[in-house]
Amino acid sequence: MNVLVINCGSSSLKYQLIESDAEKVLAKGLCERIGISGSAITHQPAGGDKVKTEVPMADHTAAVKYVIEKLTDPSVGVIKSLSEIHAVGHRIVHGGEKFAGSVVITDEVMKEIEACSDLAPLHNPANLIGIRSCQENMSGVPNVGVFDTAFHQTMPKKAYLYGLPYEYYEKYKIRRYGFHGTSHDFVSKRAAEILGKSRDDLKIIVCHLGNGASVSAVDHGKSVDTSMGLTPLEGLIMGTRSGDMDPAIVAFLAQKEGLSAQEVIDICNKKSGVLGLSRKSSDFRDLAEAAAAGDAQAETALETYAYRVGKYIGAYTAAMNGVDVIAFTAGAGENNAEVRRLIGQYIGYLGTNIDPEKNKLRGQEVILSDEGSKVVTMVVPTDEELAIARETVRLVK
């Protein structure tokens, strides 16, 4: 079965065509600047070069049409016709409390996704546009929604409630939801497989460390806590996001700088994190290079970032009353040895025993800890697109 995996943003559309039996990526690409001048599609067949084409894309429906054209193009395509796309899997950011798992998309599901748009106003509307665009261009092809929040719906109330008047939870569903759920699910499963064990027998902490970053506590196969909250702003310091901070800072900065509350939140989302701390970059590769060259500000940003991750690992060890496995994943988690080294300084008391030579490896599955370590520490590359494809196949096959 060929599954087209779609991830829609407000002005972008990422895609992969995956052959599910061999779990092989046949092609992937990106449509960008949708609805804006200079829109383009970058397409790459497996084993081939990237081909970027500037084409006018007034909306996501036009973008999906160009994706199909590229996939079926005689020179750069990988299928002969639209009939070879058997299902479409969509990444959907917020499922609220409605969705604790992936679902085949129906009109009723669409209404529920739309009802969650207040919780993810930048993401869910774009996800819905992507679904409708695929329905228009591929009539009769089943669509499946895979939710970032679904995996974390197993959290107990003590983990997801905030210390606010309970009426706000009842009225507006203000609570911790968590994100990156598809990645946390995939990585925790794969970590157990690598060790030849069942996830149901392990206590696993997954550290998804990219430009967006989160930590989860997976206790015997279930997410029992995670660092992101009502929105992806809470938790770790990230590329451009502040993470945890005193909420009074919003009013304080608004008053001092003459800003609205929303403008301060925009700063917290787009100008903070390691970018704001370093005054240099949100890319951890740039920061590691700058720190090695003696840039004190970049060094401080990395140390502050690692300290926050270390604290969350300690907190989630307490939440589960122990930990068996710590898994690093995503851009920095998979590839940045310096970030892992700095975090390792805070978790050695757990008996992780990270080998410095193994820690130099990039982008591959590797057990970092010495044999016999009390807590197995490892790198497990994430593959959210493959996870979405697997869920799609499970529901439509």
Side-chain angles (χ1 to χ4, degrees):
M1 179 183 287
N2 292 333
V3 178
L4 179 61
V5 177
I6 296 286
N7 182 355
C8 271
S10 58
S11 62
S12 66
L13 185 156
K14 286 192 271 189
Y15 66 92
Q16 284 192 12
L17 185 65
I18 297 174
E19 196 283 300
S20 65
D21 291 338
E23 295 193 335
K24 178 184 177 183
V25 177
L26 302 178
K28 60 184 178 181
L30 169 67
C31 299
E32 52 192 333
R33 298 181 63 83
I34 298 170
I36 307 170
S37 62
S39 55
I41 179 170
T42 301
H43 175 79
Q44 184 177 23
D49 296 327
K50 289 182 180 179
V51 178
K52 185 172 182 177
T53 310
E54 289 196 14
V55 287
M57 286 182 268
D59 52 29
H60 286 73
T61 301
V64 171
K65 180 181 177 183
Y66 282 116
V67 169
I68 294 169
E69 285 185 7
K70 287 295 182 184
L71 290 172
T72 57
D73 184 278
S75 58
V76 296
V78 292
I79 55 176
K80 292 180 180 178
S81 71
L82 180 60
S83 64
E84 293 181 53
I85 298 175
H86 305 115
V88 184
H90 298 265
R91 177 196 176 220
I92 301 172
V93 169
H94 219 305
E97 293 185 329
K98 299 288 185 181
F99 301 101
S102 307
V103 292
V104 175
I105 292 170
T106 63
D107 290 342
E108 184 59 33
V109 168
M110 295 279 279
K111 290 177 184 176
E112 296 290 358
I113 294 170
E114 191 166 10
C116 292
S117 290
D118 280 353
L119 299 171
L122 298 179
H123 297 93
N124 274 32
N127 299 154
L128 284 166
I129 290 169
I131 294 167
R132 293 190 184 103
S133 299
C134 288
Q135 290 173 334
E136 287 182 35
N137 282 280
M138 292 177 276
S139 178
V141 177
N143 289 265
V144 169
V146 181
F147 299 86
D148 273 11
T149 50
F151 181 60
H152 301 303
Q153 282 297 299
T154 52
M155 285 189 291
K157 270 193 171 183
K158 65 183 179 182
Y160 71 67
L161 284 177
Y162 291 115
L164 293 168
Y166 195 74
E167 64 188 86
Y168 296 136
Y169 167 66
E170 293 177 313
K171 290 167 67 175
Y172 309 118
K173 297 302 178 186
I174 295 175
R175 51 159 284 183
R176 178 182 310 282
Y177 288 98
F179 299 88
H180 296 141
T182 306
S183 176
H184 287 287
D185 187 17
F186 179 91
V187 170
S188 56
K189 278 181 184 172
R190 182 58 190 150
E193 289 172 0
I194 293 168
L195 298 174
K197 297 182 179 182
S198 168
R199 183 172 68 165
D200 294 343
D201 297 328
L202 297 170
K203 297 177 179 181
I204 304 172
I205 294 174
V206 178
C207 302
H208 179 107
L209 308 179
N211 197 273
S214 60
V215 182
S216 67
V218 183
D219 192 352
H220 294 84
K222 294 182 178 180
S223 173
V224 296
D225 209 342
T226 190
S227 57
M228 284 180 166
L230 175 72
T231 75
L233 183 56
E234 188 181 359
L236 300 178
I237 292 169
M238 307 179 214
T240 63
R241 297 180 187 135
S242 63
D244 295 339
M245 67 179 197
D246 183 341
I249 291 171
V250 176
F252 183 87
L253 273 181
Q255 181 182 15
K256 293 293 184 181
E257 295 287 324
L259 301 170
S260 67
Q262 186 57 54
E263 285 172 326
V264 177
I265 294 298
D266 287 344
I267 291 170
C268 293
N269 268 305
K270 300 175 182 177
K271 298 181 180 179
S272 302
V274 293
L275 172 64
L277 287 170
S278 69
R279 296 176 175 172
K280 181 175 291 291
S281 177
S282 62
D283 191 310
F284 289 92
R285 294 168 295 184
D286 296 339
L287 297 181
E289 185 178 325
D295 187 319
Q297 202 81 23
E299 186 176 0
T300 296
L302 285 176
E303 288 177 346
T304 308
Y305 176 84
Y307 178 70
R308 183 72 61 87
V309 177
K311 283 208 301 183
Y312 264 99
I313 291 172
Y316 288 167
T317 299
M320 295 190 292
N321 197 20
V323 61
D324 301 306
V325 181
I326 298 170
F328 293 109
T329 194
E334 295 170 24
N335 299 295
N336 199 306
E338 179 62 8
V339 167
R340 294 195 300 257
R341 184 190 71 79
L342 289 168
I343 296 168
Q345 294 177 341
Y346 296 107
I347 61 176
Y349 72 97
L350 293 171
T352 50
N353 299 333
I354 295 175
D355 185 310
E357 290 304 311
K358 291 179 181 176
N359 190 49
K360 293 177 182 177
L361 297 173
R362 299 177 70 252
Q364 59 183 285
E365 292 181 348
V366 58
I367 295 176
L368 301 173
S369 48
D370 292 334
E371 190 174 348
S373 296
K374 186 177 179 181
V375 175
V376 177
T377 308
M378 59 203 307
V379 175
V380 181
T382 191
D383 195 335
E384 292 173 277
E385 288 78 15
L386 176 57
I388 292 170
R390 286 174 175 173
E391 283 292 278
T392 303
V393 171
R394 180 179 69 82
L395 288 168
V396 304
K397 199 164 187 177

